[in-house]
Structures are given as C-alpha cells and as structure tokens.
C-alpha cells in the first residue's frame, strides 16, 4: 500500500479523534482544525517510511509538536506585544526615525555608485526580500550571473558604508 493511500485511509478513520485531541489542547475548534490539516499535510510530504503500525504514533507526535509550536509562537507574540506596549516610545522615538532615514540615505548614495544591473539585483534582494533563484526567474538571467552581481553589489556596499562611517 502506498503512503498516500495509507494516510488518506487513516485520515478518514481517525480525523475526528485527532480533532478532539487538538481541540482539548488548544481550546479553539478552528485552530484545532487547522492543526489537524497541517498534521496530515506534513505526513503527505514526509519521506519517512510509513506502515500501519508506525502511522498512529507518527500522527500523534506531529500533532503534539504542532500544538507545542502553536503555544511557543503565541507566547513569543504575547511577549513581543507586551514589550511594544511598554516600550513603544523608545522604539518609535524621533531619534530612531532620523537614524533609519540616515541609513536609507546612505544606502541610496552607496547604491548610486553600483552599476545598474548590480543595483537592480541588490534592490530586489534587500528591499523586496527575493532569493537569488526568484530574481533569476524574474529577470531571465542565469542563476550564477545573478549570484555574482549580488556578491559584487554587497562588497561595494560594505566598502562604501565602512568608509561613510
């Protein structure tokens, strides 16, 4: 029996049990449904060898780990929001706004000194958060070409920023 068939049969038989387990841990039915769905999505993408004997333990382990991850993220988010509420003035003071504006201005001056093709790759990577493979697909250039241009732009920016400080 292949893994997908084994997982789909297990899902059909035990989804409600796993949903009850997740609901009891989370206290929120919608979150529990998402978590159960994510559990089975992880199973479908796993490269582990699955059998009828190992599947139940793996399902409950994945689900338990996802519950733990949920509470870890929730605690971190709560801590961060609490920090922002208590220290909002320090984070968003006028000094920090001017400091950020100064950094952006220096970066723009540095970018002006870089060749246009390297500047475009650097902007896509830094400002848009794109990976080299994504930039390569968007610009239609080879992966290694984009990688080299990004490396060149980074070196020139580091040199410029060190000299500007």
């Amino acid at each position: 029996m292949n893994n997908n068939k084994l997982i789909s049969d297990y899902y059909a038989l035990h989804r409600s049990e796993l949903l009850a387990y997740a609901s009891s841990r989370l206290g929120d039915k919608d979150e529990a449904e998402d978590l159960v769905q994510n559990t089975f999505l992880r199973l479908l993408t796993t490269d582990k060898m699955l059998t009828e004997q190992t599947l139940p333990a793996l399902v409950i382990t994945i689900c338990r780990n996802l519950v733990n991850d949920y509470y870890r993220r929730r605690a971190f988010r709560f801590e961060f929001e609490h920090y922002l509420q208590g220290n909002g003035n320090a984070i968003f003071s006028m000094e920090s706004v001017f400091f950020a504006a100064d950094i952006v201005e220096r970066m723009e001056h540095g970018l002006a000194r870089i060749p246009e093709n390297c500047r475009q790759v650097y902007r896509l990577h830094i400002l848009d958060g794109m990976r080299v493979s994504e930039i390569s697909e968007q610009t239609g250039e080879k992966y290694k070409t984009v990688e080299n241009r990004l490396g060149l732009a980074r070196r020139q920016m580091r040199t410029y920023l060190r000299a500007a400080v």
Side-chain angles (χ1 to χ4, degrees), residues 106-126:
R106 287 183 185 192
M107 193 171 118
E108 289 299 326
H109 284 289
L111 281 173
R113 300 169 190 268
I114 296 175
E116 178 58 36
N117 54 5
C118 294
R119 185 180 325 144
Q120 177 189 13
V121 169
Y122 189 80
R123 282 183 192 277
L124 290 172
H125 181 70
I126 298 296

PDB file of all heavy atoms in Angstrom, residues 106-126:
ATOM      1  N   ARG A 106      22.133  56.898   3.282  1.00  0.00           N
ATOM      2  CA  ARG A 106      23.480  56.381   2.999  1.00  0.00           C
ATOM      3  C   ARG A 106      23.422  55.206   2.038  1.00  0.00           C
ATOM      4  O   ARG A 106      24.284  55.069   1.164  1.00  0.00           O
ATOM      5  CB  ARG A 106      24.165  55.955   4.295  1.00  0.00           C
ATOM      6  CG  ARG A 106      24.598  57.118   5.128  1.00  0.00           C
ATOM      7  CD  ARG A 106      25.329  56.672   6.342  1.00  0.00           C
ATOM      8  NE  ARG A 106      25.630  57.817   7.184  1.00  0.00           N
ATOM      9  CZ  ARG A 106      26.452  57.776   8.200  1.00  0.00           C
ATOM     10  NH1 ARG A 106      27.050  56.652   8.514  1.00  0.00           N
ATOM     11  NH2 ARG A 106      26.670  58.844   8.915  1.00  0.00           N
ATOM     12  N   MET A 107      22.422  54.364   2.211  1.00  0.00           N
ATOM     13  CA  MET A 107      22.283  53.220   1.322  1.00  0.00           C
ATOM     14  C   MET A 107      22.020  53.676  -0.109  1.00  0.00           C
ATOM     15  O   MET A 107      22.593  53.132  -1.060  1.00  0.00           O
ATOM     16  CB  MET A 107      21.151  52.319   1.811  1.00  0.00           C
ATOM     17  CG  MET A 107      21.122  50.971   1.144  1.00  0.00           C
ATOM     18  SD  MET A 107      19.945  49.909   1.938  1.00  0.00           S
ATOM     19  CE  MET A 107      18.847  49.630   0.582  1.00  0.00           C
ATOM     20  N   GLU A 108      21.185  54.688  -0.272  1.00  0.00           N
ATOM     21  CA  GLU A 108      20.895  55.199  -1.617  1.00  0.00           C
ATOM     22  C   GLU A 108      22.133  55.802  -2.261  1.00  0.00           C
ATOM     23  O   GLU A 108      22.370  55.621  -3.456  1.00  0.00           O
ATOM     24  CB  GLU A 108      19.760  56.234  -1.564  1.00  0.00           C
ATOM     25  CG  GLU A 108      18.402  55.654  -1.271  1.00  0.00           C
ATOM     26  CD  GLU A 108      17.932  54.655  -2.320  1.00  0.00           C
ATOM     27  OE1 GLU A 108      18.245  54.814  -3.523  1.00  0.00           O
ATOM     28  OE2 GLU A 108      17.246  53.696  -1.930  1.00  0.00           O
ATOM     29  N   HIS A 109      22.948  56.514  -1.467  1.00  0.00           N
ATOM     30  CA  HIS A 109      24.193  57.064  -2.017  1.00  0.00           C
ATOM     31  C   HIS A 109      25.127  55.942  -2.442  1.00  0.00           C
ATOM     32  O   HIS A 109      25.791  56.039  -3.480  1.00  0.00           O
ATOM     33  CB  HIS A 109      24.887  57.971  -0.995  1.00  0.00           C
ATOM     34  CG  HIS A 109      24.252  59.308  -0.840  1.00  0.00           C
ATOM     35  ND1 HIS A 109      24.327  60.281  -1.808  1.00  0.00           N
ATOM     36  CD2 HIS A 109      23.520  59.846   0.177  1.00  0.00           C
ATOM     37  CE1 HIS A 109      23.674  61.363  -1.406  1.00  0.00           C
ATOM     38  NE2 HIS A 109      23.167  61.114  -0.198  1.00  0.00           N
ATOM     39  N   GLY A 110      25.201  54.896  -1.636  1.00  0.00           N
ATOM     40  CA  GLY A 110      26.041  53.749  -1.981  1.00  0.00           C
ATOM     41  C   GLY A 110      25.532  53.038  -3.218  1.00  0.00           C
ATOM     42  O   GLY A 110      26.320  52.621  -4.083  1.00  0.00           O
ATOM     43  N   LEU A 111      24.225  52.893  -3.323  1.00  0.00           N
ATOM     44  CA  LEU A 111      23.643  52.225  -4.493  1.00  0.00           C
ATOM     45  C   LEU A 111      23.895  53.004  -5.777  1.00  0.00           C
ATOM     46  O   LEU A 111      24.020  52.421  -6.851  1.00  0.00           O
ATOM     47  CB  LEU A 111      22.137  52.030  -4.296  1.00  0.00           C
ATOM     48  CG  LEU A 111      21.720  50.866  -3.408  1.00  0.00           C
ATOM     49  CD1 LEU A 111      20.219  50.884  -3.166  1.00  0.00           C
ATOM     50  CD2 LEU A 111      22.142  49.549  -4.017  1.00  0.00           C
ATOM     51  N   ALA A 112      23.972  54.321  -5.661  1.00  0.00           N
ATOM     52  CA  ALA A 112      24.209  55.146  -6.850  1.00  0.00           C
ATOM     53  C   ALA A 112      25.581  54.866  -7.458  1.00  0.00           C
ATOM     54  O   ALA A 112      25.796  55.109  -8.646  1.00  0.00           O
ATOM     55  CB  ALA A 112      24.081  56.627  -6.495  1.00  0.00           C
ATOM     56  N   ARG A 113      26.502  54.342  -6.678  1.00  0.00           N
ATOM     57  CA  ARG A 113      27.857  54.069  -7.153  1.00  0.00           C
ATOM     58  C   ARG A 113      27.996  52.674  -7.775  1.00  0.00           C
ATOM     59  O   ARG A 113      29.049  52.340  -8.280  1.00  0.00           O
ATOM     60  CB  ARG A 113      28.839  54.191  -5.995  1.00  0.00           C
ATOM     61  CG  ARG A 113      28.835  55.567  -5.376  1.00  0.00           C
ATOM     62  CD  ARG A 113      29.621  55.569  -4.074  1.00  0.00           C
ATOM     63  NE  ARG A 113      29.439  56.814  -3.364  1.00  0.00           N
ATOM     64  CZ  ARG A 113      30.237  57.859  -3.489  1.00  0.00           C
ATOM     65  NH1 ARG A 113      31.268  57.813  -4.284  1.00  0.00           N
ATOM     66  NH2 ARG A 113      29.998  58.970  -2.818  1.00  0.00           N
ATOM     67  N   ILE A 114      26.954  51.881  -7.705  1.00  0.00           N
ATOM     68  CA  ILE A 114      26.995  50.500  -8.196  1.00  0.00           C
ATOM     69  C   ILE A 114      26.428  50.471  -9.616  1.00  0.00           C
ATOM     70  O   ILE A 114      25.481  51.194  -9.924  1.00  0.00           O
ATOM     71  CB  ILE A 114      26.152  49.590  -7.261  1.00  0.00           C
ATOM     72  CG1 ILE A 114      26.780  49.559  -5.871  1.00  0.00           C
ATOM     73  CG2 ILE A 114      26.031  48.187  -7.808  1.00  0.00           C
ATOM     74  CD1 ILE A 114      25.958  48.799  -4.855  1.00  0.00           C
ATOM     75  N   PRO A 115      26.980  49.630 -10.490  1.00  0.00           N
ATOM     76  CA  PRO A 115      26.419  49.504 -11.844  1.00  0.00           C
ATOM     77  C   PRO A 115      24.931  49.137 -11.800  1.00  0.00           C
ATOM     78  O   PRO A 115      24.477  48.447 -10.884  1.00  0.00           O
ATOM     79  CB  PRO A 115      27.237  48.367 -12.465  1.00  0.00           C
ATOM     80  CG  PRO A 115      28.492  48.308 -11.665  1.00  0.00           C
ATOM     81  CD  PRO A 115      28.148  48.786 -10.296  1.00  0.00           C
ATOM     82  N   GLU A 116      24.185  49.570 -12.791  1.00  0.00           N
ATOM     83  CA  GLU A 116      22.732  49.414 -12.807  1.00  0.00           C
ATOM     84  C   GLU A 116      22.276  47.969 -12.660  1.00  0.00           C
ATOM     85  O   GLU A 116      21.364  47.682 -11.902  1.00  0.00           O
ATOM     86  CB  GLU A 116      22.150  50.002 -14.102  1.00  0.00           C
ATOM     87  CG  GLU A 116      20.646  49.843 -14.247  1.00  0.00           C
ATOM     88  CD  GLU A 116      19.828  50.468 -13.119  1.00  0.00           C
ATOM     89  OE1 GLU A 116      20.222  51.533 -12.613  1.00  0.00           O
ATOM     90  OE2 GLU A 116      18.800  49.883 -12.741  1.00  0.00           O
ATOM     91  N   ASN A 117      22.920  47.035 -13.366  1.00  0.00           N
ATOM     92  CA  ASN A 117      22.478  45.645 -13.285  1.00  0.00           C
ATOM     93  C   ASN A 117      22.704  45.069 -11.881  1.00  0.00           C
ATOM     94  O   ASN A 117      21.883  44.310 -11.384  1.00  0.00           O
ATOM     95  CB  ASN A 117      23.148  44.779 -14.355  1.00  0.00           C
ATOM     96  CG  ASN A 117      24.650  44.866 -14.331  1.00  0.00           C
ATOM     97  OD1 ASN A 117      25.246  45.495 -13.469  1.00  0.00           O
ATOM     98  ND2 ASN A 117      25.276  44.259 -15.328  1.00  0.00           N
ATOM     99  N   CYS A 118      23.773  45.453 -11.218  1.00  0.00           N
ATOM    100  CA  CYS A 118      24.020  45.010  -9.837  1.00  0.00           C
ATOM    101  C   CYS A 118      23.055  45.702  -8.874  1.00  0.00           C
ATOM    102  O   CYS A 118      22.574  45.089  -7.917  1.00  0.00           O
ATOM    103  CB  CYS A 118      25.456  45.313  -9.424  1.00  0.00           C
ATOM    104  SG  CYS A 118      26.690  44.377 -10.339  1.00  0.00           S
ATOM    105  N   ARG A 119      22.766  46.965  -9.122  1.00  0.00           N
ATOM    106  CA  ARG A 119      21.847  47.732  -8.278  1.00  0.00           C
ATOM    107  C   ARG A 119      20.450  47.107  -8.291  1.00  0.00           C
ATOM    108  O   ARG A 119      19.807  46.965  -7.250  1.00  0.00           O
ATOM    109  CB  ARG A 119      21.789  49.172  -8.777  1.00  0.00           C
ATOM    110  CG  ARG A 119      20.974  50.093  -7.908  1.00  0.00           C
ATOM    111  CD  ARG A 119      20.929  51.525  -8.422  1.00  0.00           C
ATOM    112  NE  ARG A 119      22.174  51.933  -9.057  1.00  0.00           N
ATOM    113  CZ  ARG A 119      22.258  52.722 -10.111  1.00  0.00           C
ATOM    114  NH1 ARG A 119      21.161  53.194 -10.674  1.00  0.00           N
ATOM    115  NH2 ARG A 119      23.412  53.053 -10.626  1.00  0.00           N
ATOM    116  N   GLN A 120      20.000  46.705  -9.472  1.00  0.00           N
ATOM    117  CA  GLN A 120      18.678  46.100  -9.596  1.00  0.00           C
ATOM    118  C   GLN A 120      18.606  44.802  -8.790  1.00  0.00           C
ATOM    119  O   GLN A 120      17.652  44.575  -8.046  1.00  0.00           O
ATOM    120  CB  GLN A 120      18.361  45.813 -11.067  1.00  0.00           C
ATOM    121  CG  GLN A 120      17.037  45.123 -11.273  1.00  0.00           C
ATOM    122  CD  GLN A 120      16.850  44.652 -12.705  1.00  0.00           C
ATOM    123  OE1 GLN A 120      17.785  44.620 -13.492  1.00  0.00           O
ATOM    124  NE2 GLN A 120      15.635  44.261 -13.027  1.00  0.00           N
ATOM    125  N   VAL A 121      19.626  43.959  -8.901  1.00  0.00           N
ATOM    126  CA  VAL A 121      19.654  42.688  -8.170  1.00  0.00           C
ATOM    127  C   VAL A 121      19.696  42.952  -6.668  1.00  0.00           C
ATOM    128  O   VAL A 121      18.979  42.309  -5.894  1.00  0.00           O
ATOM    129  CB  VAL A 121      20.869  41.837  -8.621  1.00  0.00           C
ATOM    130  CG1 VAL A 121      21.071  40.645  -7.703  1.00  0.00           C
ATOM    131  CG2 VAL A 121      20.690  41.385 -10.057  1.00  0.00           C
ATOM    132  N   TYR A 122      20.503  43.912  -6.246  1.00  0.00           N
ATOM    133  CA  TYR A 122      20.633  44.234  -4.822  1.00  0.00           C
ATOM    134  C   TYR A 122      19.305  44.739  -4.253  1.00  0.00           C
ATOM    135  O   TYR A 122      18.891  44.331  -3.168  1.00  0.00           O
ATOM    136  CB  TYR A 122      21.730  45.283  -4.631  1.00  0.00           C
ATOM    137  CG  TYR A 122      22.103  45.532  -3.192  1.00  0.00           C
ATOM    138  CD1 TYR A 122      22.957  44.671  -2.524  1.00  0.00           C
ATOM    139  CD2 TYR A 122      21.614  46.637  -2.498  1.00  0.00           C
ATOM    140  CE1 TYR A 122      23.320  44.895  -1.208  1.00  0.00           C
ATOM    141  CE2 TYR A 122      21.959  46.871  -1.195  1.00  0.00           C
ATOM    142  CZ  TYR A 122      22.816  45.997  -0.537  1.00  0.00           C
ATOM    143  OH  TYR A 122      23.155  46.218   0.764  1.00  0.00           O
ATOM    144  N   ARG A 123      18.634  45.609  -4.987  1.00  0.00           N
ATOM    145  CA  ARG A 123      17.339  46.131  -4.522  1.00  0.00           C
ATOM    146  C   ARG A 123      16.309  45.006  -4.394  1.00  0.00           C
ATOM    147  O   ARG A 123      15.567  44.948  -3.427  1.00  0.00           O
ATOM    148  CB  ARG A 123      16.799  47.185  -5.480  1.00  0.00           C
ATOM    149  CG  ARG A 123      17.427  48.529  -5.351  1.00  0.00           C
ATOM    150  CD  ARG A 123      16.743  49.513  -6.305  1.00  0.00           C
ATOM    151  NE  ARG A 123      17.464  50.745  -6.432  1.00  0.00           N
ATOM    152  CZ  ARG A 123      17.369  51.758  -5.575  1.00  0.00           C
ATOM    153  NH1 ARG A 123      16.578  51.673  -4.568  1.00  0.00           N
ATOM    154  NH2 ARG A 123      18.073  52.854  -5.770  1.00  0.00           N
ATOM    155  N   LEU A 124      16.250  44.129  -5.387  1.00  0.00           N
ATOM    156  CA  LEU A 124      15.293  43.027  -5.341  1.00  0.00           C
ATOM    157  C   LEU A 124      15.572  42.109  -4.152  1.00  0.00           C
ATOM    158  O   LEU A 124      14.650  41.617  -3.499  1.00  0.00           O
ATOM    159  CB  LEU A 124      15.331  42.220  -6.643  1.00  0.00           C
ATOM    160  CG  LEU A 124      14.762  42.917  -7.881  1.00  0.00           C
ATOM    161  CD1 LEU A 124      15.042  42.097  -9.128  1.00  0.00           C
ATOM    162  CD2 LEU A 124      13.270  43.167  -7.718  1.00  0.00           C
ATOM    163  N   HIS A 125      16.847  41.904  -3.863  1.00  0.00           N
ATOM    164  CA  HIS A 125      17.211  41.019  -2.754  1.00  0.00           C
ATOM    165  C   HIS A 125      16.976  41.681  -1.393  1.00  0.00           C
ATOM    166  O   HIS A 125      16.331  41.108  -0.527  1.00  0.00           O
ATOM    167  CB  HIS A 125      18.678  40.592  -2.887  1.00  0.00           C
ATOM    168  CG  HIS A 125      19.122  39.670  -1.809  1.00  0.00           C
ATOM    169  ND1 HIS A 125      18.678  38.375  -1.707  1.00  0.00           N
ATOM    170  CD2 HIS A 125      19.972  39.861  -0.765  1.00  0.00           C
ATOM    171  CE1 HIS A 125      19.235  37.805  -0.650  1.00  0.00           C
ATOM    172  NE2 HIS A 125      20.019  38.696  -0.065  1.00  0.00           N
ATOM    173  N   ILE A 126      17.463  42.880  -1.219  1.00  0.00           N
ATOM    174  CA  ILE A 126      17.394  43.550   0.084  1.00  0.00           C
ATOM    175  C   ILE A 126      16.022  44.147   0.342  1.00  0.00           C
ATOM    176  O   ILE A 126      15.417  43.904   1.386  1.00  0.00           O
ATOM    177  CB  ILE A 126      18.472  44.650   0.196  1.00  0.00           C
ATOM    178  CG1 ILE A 126      19.870  44.046   0.092  1.00  0.00           C
ATOM    179  CG2 ILE A 126      18.325  45.433   1.493  1.00  0.00           C
ATOM    180  CD1 ILE A 126      20.239  43.090   1.197  1.00  0.00           C
TER     181      ILE A 126
END
